Amino acid sequence: MNDIPKAYDPGAVEEKWYKTWEERGYFVADPSSPKPAYSIVIPPPNVTGVLHMGHVLNNTIQDILARKARMQGYEVLWLPGTDHAGIATQAVVEKNLRKQGLMKHREDLGRDKFLEHVWAWKEKHGHIIVQQLKRLGCSCDWSRLRFTMDSDYSRCVQKVFVALFRDGLIYRGLRMVHWDPAAQTALSDEEVEWIEEKGHLWYIRYPLLDPEGRTLPDQCIIVATTRPETMLGDEAVAVHPQDHRYRHLLGRRVLLPLRNKPIPIVGDAAVEPEFGTGCVKVTPAHDPADYEIALRHQLPFTVVIGPDGRMTPEAGHGFAGLDRMEARKAVVAHLEKLGLLEKTEDYIHRVGYSQRSHVPIEPRLSEQWFLRYPEVERAQRVVENGQIRFHPEKWVKTYTHWLSNLKDWCISRQLWWGHRIPVWTRTFEDLAELEAARATFPLSDLDTAIRCQDRTMVVATANPVLQQQLTRDGWHQDPDVLDTWFSSWLWPFATMGWTGQAERDHQNPTLRRFYPTTDLVTGPDIIFFWVARMIMAGLRFMDEVPFRNVYFTGIIRDKHGRKMSKSLGNSPDPLDLIRRYGADALRFGTMRSAPLGQDVLFDEKDVELGRNFCNKLWNACRFRQLQQGQAAIALDPDRLTVDDRWILLKLNTAIQEIHAAFTEYRFNEVTQTLYRFFWTEYCDWYLEAAKAVLQARDVYQKASTLGVIDFVLDHTLRLFHPFLPHITEELWHGMGFTKRYPEDRGGCSLMFAPWPEPFAADFLQRYQLHEGVLRFAEARYALATEGRNLRRLANLPANRKVKFILRPAQPLNDYDRQVLTLLLQAETLELDPEAAPRRGTPTCRTLLGDLYLPLEGVVDVAAETVRLSQELTKIEVEIERLQQRLSDSEFQAKAPPHVLQEHERRLHEWRQKAAHLRSALELLQT
């Protein structure tokens, strides 16, 4: 054994062992290994991001799975990487460049110069998140670190685009899309967050026109809208064709206020007669439903809100150039002035926000690239039939519902940072010139696909030589980039070197060995963005699912249930927590409060608990070292005490429970079992009982008990290692357990020690581990608990030595008496079959007999009665005050939920204290 220092220094231990693991290549996966394969790919964090509590939860779970798999004998690949995060990264760089005064808009720099700044930003900040993951203890194969904009990865993205383009699944079209006016780019449906807001419903008077186009006095149609600024682009008013209130007006016209333009009244079944007045304005260029109505009625499209969220010249004098929100106020003011605003009502409705820019999105008619999702039916089938298992299973319904209601994916973004769409176009003078040009492209080039329409040729290619040639010859490359998720959906196989060439991919040892991956750990908020799309991509391009299991984490919230955010000040810095408590403490505390698939209520006290647990583990191993005695080489069945057998049975139960919990991905149950076993069963009970042997003079019996302690600690450190990797490695070496196992990869590390398995039947039989042992040992521990309760009721401190008397219900030997004396922290324990203590002596009945705590000379009964009565009176006053507060209906209505919960918690605690005092008074007065 190596000496274990008195104090545990997590910073020094964690730095030492992570450096050792990395230097010895313990994280590196070997495709040629004869071991069975286990693989997992990291959900790539933003390349310029920093570690937050969501990362801590997600990556701790992945590390637990990877480390456990290594101990189970698997060759493990945990493949790391980062995402270029198109919108987010470009926004950060643009903000930084504006702050430096280098530009007002990226156009000031030009595309190439702007991208130089983005790459420089990536090089400066891109390593930060990787180093922070290392601080957490993540055992990724860093030699395989991937980035979604690496040249090889970019080639994969282009190859996939070309293949889908060739198959007719990618096309370009004019559609109504979600538009982010801050980032000035299109968004997919999944990138829009719908938030319920308090707004207004404005009722506007549209004057009715006669057949000659003259306004009719006091005749109008009243239209209700939540967006009066868009009325400047109205092209019709629509009513339901069966609405008897307006059926006679179909075919007539009204005058569009503020624009003085006649527009028709049309009948369309999409109108809801119950909404507002039953008349709706139709703004074809700025509303998805209106767009569809316009197509049915051949209405024109007038764009009055530009890509930057400002009103266009088509909005008219007095409005052009205004921000859309400013225009809303101006339109309402003009309508009021003209007497055309009938009324305004408060109205709650859902408003779409860009998840990245956090601004309201605009429906916008725009030419974009779209993808018809491939392999939809197969993607649904592999989850429903269990080829891919979701944990928890409730997410299957959400997943299949989304797949059943798919819209084509808008994959183009009006950004500069990202994978530029690999499409070049050229319009020729005539068809003969086009055909001549087409003949120059080799038909055998699988990296190229061509489409022709009229005199325009469209070439999609992933061939770098051809790309350079097209650019050099003056072909026009599409300026847009691909949605970030278009690269992320290829992550499981593109990170392993996929090329799209079957023979070459078959010879790729990493791809052949580790695809499909075993597990995926992610959040349910990206089940559509990422999980579903990866399944489709895997089936399409690998003809195989990308993973076997998906574990959906919950969302990390503060202890009051609020989502963490900088504005609320409730989002702790994980690195600060690591500095103060250690990475292992942060990991253990987080996992202990993370139930399967439910949100995690984070409380720093859980991290404190993790630190205390690490200290307990450290001190327990150090206690073993201080015994100095030589342990038995193997367990000696003839010298095992009842307590030895009890802790071995408890260890076996813990291993069984841990196996069952891991099978169902219930990580918090694993930590709870580990905590219960080590802190309560091993430290609180077994070690205290074992002192009866350790403090005695029988060296052989002591050696046997030390052997049991070593056996239990060896198993315990292995069980804890996936959760507490650094401290367990340090203690495992300090305890000398390395000698028990063969070397792996040129060294001996707990990382490769065998994962504990439940004990075999012959082991249980050989060491007489049966229910009878459990019953007797637990009867003793129950007696000790009752004795401690008697002490507490009598207000006697735990460290005060007092006398107990036991009238035994069955014979007890000297060892049993010694153990009970230790557990009761008694000065003496008298075994008296005839014991009959005086009236008023605290007593309890147990399976092993009646236990008495004589108070003569120990407690002044009269004085203690007065003290307890006074304390009870104070507590009852506090209970009354809290009850009155909680029964106040005004307080109940106004107080935040966490304040109510805190009051209810305090009331519960005061009631418990009052009950304890009443029991103590009753005991003294018996």
Side-chain angles (χ1 to χ4, degrees):
M1 293 186 185
N2 301 320
D3 285 342
I4 297 174
K6 184 175 182 180
Y8 170 49
D9 180 357
V13 168
E14 290 168 3
E15 182 181 358
K16 164 189 169 182
W17 283 110
Y18 199 89
K19 182 180 179 183
T20 300
W21 295 328
E22 269 205 293
E23 288 177 348
R24 294 184 179 177
Y26 287 167
F27 303 156
V28 177
D30 179 8
S32 64
S33 167
K35 298 177 181 178
Y38 175 94
S39 56
I40 186 168
V41 292
I42 198 171
N46 291 358
V47 67
T48 58
V50 293
L51 196 71
H52 56 64
M53 288 306 301
H55 290 133
V56 171
L57 174 64
N58 188 294
N59 288 281
T60 297
I61 291 171
Q62 291 178 79
D63 196 44
I64 289 168
L65 291 169
R67 288 181 181 273
K68 175 174 173 285
R70 287 189 190 96
M71 297 178 76
Q72 289 178 300
Y74 288 91
E75 187 64 30
V76 172
L77 170 61
W78 182 12
L79 205 154
T82 53
D83 190 279
H84 66 280
I87 294 178
T89 302
Q90 178 159 320
V92 169
V93 175
E94 285 183 343
K95 182 179 179 180
N96 183 62
L97 292 174
R98 282 193 293 268
K99 188 177 180 180
Q100 295 179 51
L102 295 177
M103 67 170 217
K104 290 184 178 179
H105 188 271
R106 60 180 181 264
E107 295 287 353
D108 299 339
L109 292 174
R111 187 172 196 134
D112 292 343
K113 192 67 178 177
F114 176 78
L115 289 177
E116 286 179 17
H117 284 285
V118 184
W119 278 106
W121 182 271
K122 181 264 179 187
E123 292 305 315
K124 181 178 180 181
H125 299 277
H127 68 285
I128 294 175
I129 188 73
V130 170
Q131 296 305 317
Q132 292 173 337
L133 289 171
K134 290 182 179 182
R135 286 287 304 276
L136 187 62
C138 295
S139 59
C140 301
D141 183 348
W142 299 111
S143 69
R144 299 174 186 269
L145 182 66
R146 298 290 183 264
F147 175 49
T148 52
M149 290 282 285
D150 285 341
S151 58
D152 287 346
Y153 198 101
S154 295
R155 185 88 189 282
C156 290
V157 173
Q158 293 180 353
K159 282 174 171 285
V160 165
F161 182 96
V162 171
L164 294 170
F165 180 89
R166 179 188 298 110
D167 293 343
L169 295 177
I170 287 180
Y171 64 94
R172 188 167 175 80
L174 183 66
R175 296 284 184 86
M176 184 67 71
V177 298
H178 300 301
W179 184 265
D180 181 335
Q184 294 195 35
T185 182
L187 303 172
S188 67
D189 292 347
E190 293 75 26
E191 291 171 299
V192 177
E193 184 176 1
W194 294 94
I195 299 174
E196 198 169 80
E197 286 189 350
K198 292 180 179 179
H200 295 94
L201 198 58
W202 287 273
Y203 289 78
I204 304 170
R205 301 164 65 91
Y206 283 51
L208 194 62
L209 298 176
D210 66 14
E212 283 72 39
R214 296 185 297 265
T215 56
L216 296 169
D218 299 323
Q219 292 192 43
C220 63
I221 277 186
I222 298 175
V223 171
T225 181
T226 59
R227 299 199 62 194
E229 70 279 10
T230 63
M231 68 173 292
L232 302 171
D234 283 2
E235 294 296 345
V237 169
V239 299
H240 196 282
Q242 302 304 318
D243 191 333
H244 65 88
R245 296 172 296 175
Y246 307 111
R247 200 180 310 161
H248 66 287
L249 295 177
L250 292 175
R252 299 278 298 275
R253 294 186 298 168
V254 293
L255 188 68
L256 176 62
L258 307 183
R259 299 300 290 136
N260 294 322
K261 180 174 76 172
I263 57 176
I265 301 172
V266 300
D268 197 282
V271 177
E272 297 178 11
E274 299 80 17
F275 175 77
T277 63
C279 301
V280 297
K281 53 192 282 305
V282 180
T283 318
H286 298 286
D287 184 274
D290 294 0
Y291 170 76
E292 298 296 335
I293 292 175
L295 292 178
R296 288 192 288 271
H297 297 274
Q298 293 83 49
L299 299 174
F301 295 85
T302 302
V303 177
V304 294
I305 301 177
D308 59 354
R310 293 187 173 276
M311 307 307 286
T312 67
E314 285 75 13
H317 179 70
F319 303 108
L322 292 179
D323 174 80
R324 55 188 170 151
M325 298 306 172
E326 295 171 347
R328 177 177 296 179
K329 295 176 183 177
V331 165
V332 171
H334 276 70
L335 290 171
E336 283 183 310
K337 187 176 180 181
L338 295 171
L340 295 176
L341 186 64
E342 178 77 7
K343 63 177 178 177
T344 304
E345 293 179 347
D346 292 336
Y347 186 68
I348 296 175
H349 62 143
R350 295 170 71 240
V351 178
Y353 276 77
S354 165
Q355 285 192 336
R356 289 298 183 190
S357 301
H358 309 293
V359 298
I361 56 107
E362 278 294 332
R364 176 173 168 78
L365 196 59
S366 179
E367 190 89 20
Q368 300 289 341
W369 289 94
F370 295 89
L371 168 66
R372 297 185 185 93
Y373 284 104
E375 307 293 345
V376 175
E377 290 184 6
R378 285 180 73 192
Q380 186 163 338
R381 195 162 57 247
V382 295
V383 171
E384 290 177 335
N385 67 18
Q387 282 181 259
I388 297 175
R389 290 189 62 203
F390 283 2
H391 307 271
E393 195 174 356
K394 67 178 183 180
W395 292 111
V396 172
K397 186 176 181 181
T398 304
Y399 170 86
T400 54
H401 176 75
W402 182 76
L403 285 178
S404 301
N405 297 273
L406 281 178
K407 294 181 181 178
D408 291 353
W409 176 11
C410 177
I411 59 173
S412 49
R413 298 291 180 271
Q414 287 63 55
L415 304 171
W416 285 353
W417 174 244
H419 297 99
R420 191 168 177 180
I421 291 176
V423 169
W424 283 256
T425 58
R426 184 171 181 177
T427 300
F428 294 89
E429 292 294 329
D430 52 45
L431 290 177
E433 187 182 4
L434 181 146
E435 290 300 329
R438 183 171 188 169
T440 64
F441 293 96
L443 297 176
S444 59
D445 185 359
L446 296 178
D447 287 343
T448 302
I450 299 171
R451 285 185 198 161
C452 296
Q453 185 173 4
D454 298 329
R455 292 179 294 110
T456 299
M457 185 185 299
V458 180
V459 178
T461 182
N463 184 325
V465 175
L466 180 56
Q467 290 175 351
Q468 293 176 8
Q469 180 185 334
L470 292 170
T471 302
R472 191 169 53 247
D473 291 348
W475 288 62
H476 172 72
Q477 184 179 1
D478 195 294
D480 292 349
V481 300
L482 289 163
D483 178 9
T484 297
W485 296 102
F486 192 90
S487 54
S488 300
W489 76 321
L490 314 176
W491 191 248
F493 56 88
T495 50
M496 296 187 192
W498 175 85
T499 67
Q501 299 174 25
E503 185 175 343
R504 190 172 169 187
D505 289 338
H506 182 70
Q507 294 173 356
N508 178 332
T510 301
L511 198 61
R512 189 174 68 247
R513 191 83 161 81
F514 295 109
Y515 187 93
T517 61
T518 313
D519 291 315
L520 175 74
V521 179
T522 188
D525 52 330
I526 56 175
I527 189 172
F528 313 130
F529 286 116
W530 198 44
V531 178
R533 290 170 176 169
M534 281 193 292
I535 293 172
M536 294 182 208
L539 293 170
R540 182 74 174 191
F541 297 103
M542 294 294 295
D543 197 30
E544 176 63 281
V545 296
F547 28 73
R548 302 297 186 193
N549 299 280
V550 183
Y551 176 86
F552 292 105
T553 66
I555 296 172
I556 291 255
R557 300 183 182 275
D558 69 12
K559 61 183 179 182
H560 304 304
R562 300 174 302 176
K563 201 168 182 178
M564 288 187 171
S565 69
K566 291 181 181 178
S567 60
L568 290 174
N570 64 348
S571 182
D573 177 2
L575 291 183
D576 178 57
L577 294 173
I578 290 173
R579 280 189 291 270
R580 289 192 286 136
Y581 300 106
D584 285 347
L586 176 59
R587 291 163 63 112
F588 193 76
T590 302
M591 293 312 303
R592 195 166 182 266
S593 57
L596 173 65
Q598 297 180 30
D599 288 352
V600 179
L601 299 183
F602 176 81
D603 189 335
E604 193 169 321
K605 289 181 179 178
D606 290 320
V607 188
E608 291 181 24
L609 179 147
R611 178 196 59 190
N612 295 342
F613 193 87
C614 288
N615 287 332
K616 188 83 167 180
L617 186 61
W618 185 269
N619 291 333
C621 290
R622 191 166 180 273
F623 171 82
R624 163 61 186 96
Q625 275 202 347
L626 292 175
Q627 302 312 304
Q628 297 180 342
Q630 185 65 40
I633 296 175
L635 298 179
D636 184 348
D638 296 328
R639 291 188 177 275
L640 293 181
T641 66
V642 168
D643 299 287
D644 293 336
R645 292 189 171 94
W646 178 81
I647 196 61
L648 291 173
L649 278 165
K650 287 297 182 181
L651 173 60
N652 189 48
T653 299
I655 293 172
Q656 290 172 334
E657 291 176 4
I658 288 167
H659 273 243
F662 262 124
T663 300
E664 296 300 321
Y665 294 77
R666 298 184 181 276
F667 301 100
N668 72 311
E669 292 183 12
V670 177
T671 57
Q672 288 165 7
T673 297
L674 287 168
Y675 189 92
R676 181 205 71 219
F677 169 74
F678 186 74
W679 192 293
T680 303
E681 294 167 350
Y682 178 75
C683 291
D684 287 356
W685 291 117
Y686 175 71
L687 277 189
E688 290 304 309
K691 290 176 183 177
V693 173
L694 299 178
Q695 294 171 2
R697 296 182 179 181
D698 188 335
V699 293
Y700 297 107
Q701 189 62 51
K702 181 177 180 179
S704 175
T705 295
L706 289 176
V708 173
I709 290 175
D710 286 352
F711 182 90
V712 172
L713 286 177
D714 175 36
H715 281 72
T716 301
L717 291 175
R718 285 186 281 146
L719 289 168
F720 272 117
H721 179 70
F723 295 85
L724 308 171
H726 308 90
I727 189 174
T728 51
E729 185 81 85
E730 176 76 6
L731 292 173
W732 199 66
H733 282 262
M735 294 294 292
F737 293 154
T738 56
K739 300 173 185 177
R740 300 182 175 208
Y741 304 100
E743 289 191 357
D744 193 312
R745 304 193 181 204
C748 200
S749 169
L750 181 52
M751 284 180 63
F752 304 108
W755 180 250
E757 298 289 339
F759 300 156
D762 62 337
F763 181 96
L764 298 173
Q765 185 176 358
R766 185 185 321 134
Y767 296 107
Q768 302 172 47
L769 307 182
H770 49 75
E771 286 297 318
V773 171
L774 281 177
R775 284 194 297 271
F776 180 73
E778 288 177 358
R780 282 193 328 195
Y781 300 148
L783 184 147
T785 299
E786 292 295 336
R788 293 172 184 177
N789 288 339
L790 292 179
R791 181 194 288 272
R792 190 169 65 253
L793 286 172
N795 198 36
L796 294 172
N799 61 355
R800 182 171 179 178
K801 296 293 185 181
V802 293
K803 176 184 177 180
F804 282 90
I805 299 172
L806 176 65
R807 185 167 66 195
Q810 64 186 77
L812 298 174
N813 58 32
D814 285 344
Y815 171 76
D816 295 326
R817 185 180 59 78
Q818 291 172 29
V819 168
L820 285 170
T821 302
L822 284 167
L823 296 177
L824 289 166
Q825 291 183 288
E827 183 178 12
T828 60
L829 172 63
E830 181 181 330
L831 301 182
D832 183 357
E834 307 298 329
R838 59 184 290 180
R839 176 181 169 82
T841 300
T843 306
C844 63
R845 174 153 292 179
T846 75
L847 289 174
L848 296 184
D850 295 335
L851 184 66
Y852 307 103
L853 174 58
L855 297 180
E856 297 91 339
V858 177
V859 173
D860 184 333
V861 174
E864 184 66 9
T865 300
V866 171
R867 187 189 71 80
L868 292 177
S869 298
Q870 290 174 344
E871 189 175 344
L872 179 59
T873 300
K874 290 179 183 178
I875 288 175
E876 287 174 337
V877 169
E878 185 64 25
I879 288 173
E880 178 64 23
R881 186 184 70 81
L882 282 169
Q883 285 177 332
Q884 288 180 355
R885 195 83 190 273
L886 286 168
S887 62
D888 184 341
S889 58
E890 186 175 352
F891 175 74
Q892 286 277 358
K894 292 183 177 180
H898 70 274
V899 172
L900 290 173
Q901 291 170 6
E902 178 64 17
H903 276 64
E904 288 166 355
R905 183 190 64 79
R906 285 163 53 196
L907 178 61
H908 177 70
E909 288 180 356
W910 283 123
R911 283 172 171 167
Q912 283 186 317
K913 290 179 181 178
H916 171 75
L917 290 174
R918 292 189 188 99
S919 297
L921 282 167
E922 184 180 350
L923 178 69
L924 292 174
Q925 295 164 2
T926 302

